Amino acid sequence: DVTTVTTSKISFATEVLLANETEGTEETYVILGPWESDPTNSIISYLSPLGKRLLNHKVGDQLVFAIHDRKFSYLVKSIKAYAI
């Protein structure tokens, strides 16, 4: 239910802006369910490897992790409710 979306942390139906500190770029992702997933349009499932790593983090959190030997380093810049 998108009317109960919280933006205090990354969760289902949020749009998150990340600073990619490895590449010096910014990336935006929408966190939805597996059926709405569309990675080419930056819509990822909360069950995907990246989605799982992002969940429950807050603005200002530093995230460093690896997925399939690829290293990631992100800073959470903003979280807002996704307008469906």
Side-chain angles (χ1 to χ4, degrees):
D1 182 4
V2 293
T3 61
T4 61
V5 172
T6 178
T7 57
S8 63
K9 63 183 179 179
I10 301 171
S11 59
F12 180 82
T14 57
E15 183 175 322
V16 59
L17 175 63
L18 303 171
N20 182 329
E21 297 183 328
T22 304
E23 298 182 14
T25 59
E26 290 187 340
E27 299 175 15
T28 301
Y29 292 101
V30 174
I31 311 297
L32 292 176
W35 294 273
E36 298 93 4
S37 180
D38 184 1
T40 58
N41 289 309
S42 299
I43 300 172
I44 62 172
S45 167
Y46 66 93
L47 296 174
S48 69
L50 179 57
K52 288 179 182 180
R53 302 276 189 331
L54 297 178
L55 283 181
N56 298 312
H57 288 282
K58 299 176 181 182
V59 172
D61 282 358
Q62 181 76 38
L63 310 169
V64 178
F65 55 87
I67 298 174
H68 304 296
D69 295 327
R70 181 175 169 205
K71 294 181 181 179
F72 296 85
S73 179
Y74 289 121
L75 174 68
V76 181
K77 294 188 77 173
S78 70
I79 302 167
K80 63 182 182 180
Y82 178 61
I84 296 176

